[in-house]
Amino acid sequence: QVQVMESGGGLVQAGGSLRLSCTASGSIFSINAMAWYRQVPGKQRELVAIITSSGRANFGDSAKGRFTISRDNAKNTVYLQMSSLKPDDTAVYYCAADLVTSSSSRAIDRYWGQGTQVTVSS
């Protein structure tokens, strides 16, 4: 069994900052990329940021210059530091982890967290 759990969401004023955390736990052999996505009702889920196991990061257009992503491989945890938040950043933020759970097959599967709400007030 694998669990991916986010934390750190909440209500923040425009211009403020927030840090999200996400930890993968359970029967994990290795973790490849970890990522943050977000979704608002009626729209597709969009990539916010992704980071490889070696620390290489890429960002969605909405996050460039304002958000940073980092990870602690020893803790199976990825962080999303969000700054200069705007009301348009209001969404449910989801964590995704690309995991290998079997040392024999080495297949990579994506696991999702349940999401954490971020609300930015104007």
Side-chain angles (χ1 to χ4, degrees), residues 23-98:
T23 299
S25 62
S27 300
I28 299 170
F29 177 74
S30 65
I31 303 178
N32 287 19
M34 299 185 80
W36 289 97
Y37 288 76
R38 69 186 187 185
Q39 188 170 26
V40 297
K43 291 190 176 181
Q44 284 190 329
R45 193 170 294 189
E46 66 169 352
L47 174 70
V48 177
I50 187 166
I51 185 167
T52 67
S53 56
S54 60
R56 188 171 61 200
N58 279 300
F59 296 88
D61 288 340
S62 62
K64 289 177 182 176
R66 299 187 300 127
F67 296 178
T68 59
I69 187 171
S70 61
R71 64 189 281 173
D72 184 335
N73 291 333
K75 296 181 179 179
N76 291 346
T77 297
V78 63
Y79 305 97
L80 183 69
Q81 179 68 47
M82 304 185 290
S83 303
S84 302
L85 284 162
K86 308 172 184 177
D88 284 350
D89 294 315
T90 296
V92 177
Y93 285 70
Y94 294 92
C95 176
D98 295 336

